[in-house]
Amino acid sequence: MRPVGAGLDARRDPPGAPRPRRWVGDGGFSLLECVIALAILGGLVLVVSAVVPSLVQALESAHARELALEAAEVALESARGGLVPLESGEVPLDGIVSAPPGVLVRATLEVIPDPDGALYEVRAVGTVRGGVLLSTRRELRSMVWRPGS
């Protein structure tokens, strides 16, 4: 049996081997490194704070375009399916298209009959107004056939 601690001397550096130099402050960051890191972090915060408002505005604009297109689709499909009369005017969207508070979503139809028969050109326009400078419209066109109308 070996005594406790035997063989530990073999792991130590041999006598006369150069030892690595150790400086007093080797364990952490210098003040200059901390200042540079804070400056980089501050620059990133400035860039992000400049970009976020434009991203929010782009998101709101995309949502408004989506709502306007949805309103136009509902109006056009309502006319094609016979749910609303085939005549020009506003189409009710109550409970079909949901908009955030303070945003007004409207859909209108413009119906142009073909003089030769029962074919109608239908133009559906969806508009969104409200919010901060939020106003957009989308238009869809289709032909609707109604015999005997």
Side-chain angles (χ1 to χ4, degrees):
M1 208 161 172
R2 274 187 347 204
V4 176
L8 290 180
D9 292 334
R11 294 186 196 147
R12 291 189 184 156
D13 293 332
R19 289 191 170 178
R21 261 190 167 168
R22 290 194 52 113
W23 298 94
V24 173
D26 271 353
F29 296 106
S30 70
L31 180 61
L32 180 61
E33 290 170 330
C34 289
V35 169
I36 291 173
L38 285 175
I40 291 171
L41 184 64
L44 288 174
V45 167
L46 284 176
V47 168
V48 168
S49 67
V51 170
V52 167
S54 62
L55 289 176
V56 169
Q57 185 179 11
L59 183 63
E60 288 177 352
S61 177
H63 186 60
R65 286 192 302 271
E66 180 184 342
L67 281 174
L69 184 60
E70 184 181 356
E73 286 174 345
V74 165
L76 186 60
E77 290 302 318
S78 296
R80 290 176 65 192
L83 298 175
V84 296
L86 199 55
E87 55 191 35
S88 297
E90 190 168 341
V91 176
L93 299 173
D94 300 332
I96 301 172
V97 177
S98 60
V103 175
L104 175 66
V105 180
R106 293 180 55 201
T108 56
L109 287 177
E110 182 183 342
V111 179
I112 303 165
D114 183 21
D116 296 333
L119 192 61
Y120 297 85
E121 180 182 349
V122 179
R123 183 174 70 120
V125 178
T127 57
V128 175
R129 290 201 174 99
V132 180
L133 301 175
L134 188 66
S135 179
T136 188
R137 72 180 254 161
R138 289 290 177 255
E139 179 179 319
L140 296 174
R141 292 175 182 255
S142 182
M143 301 298 285
V144 175
W145 185 68
R146 290 269 175 87
S149 292

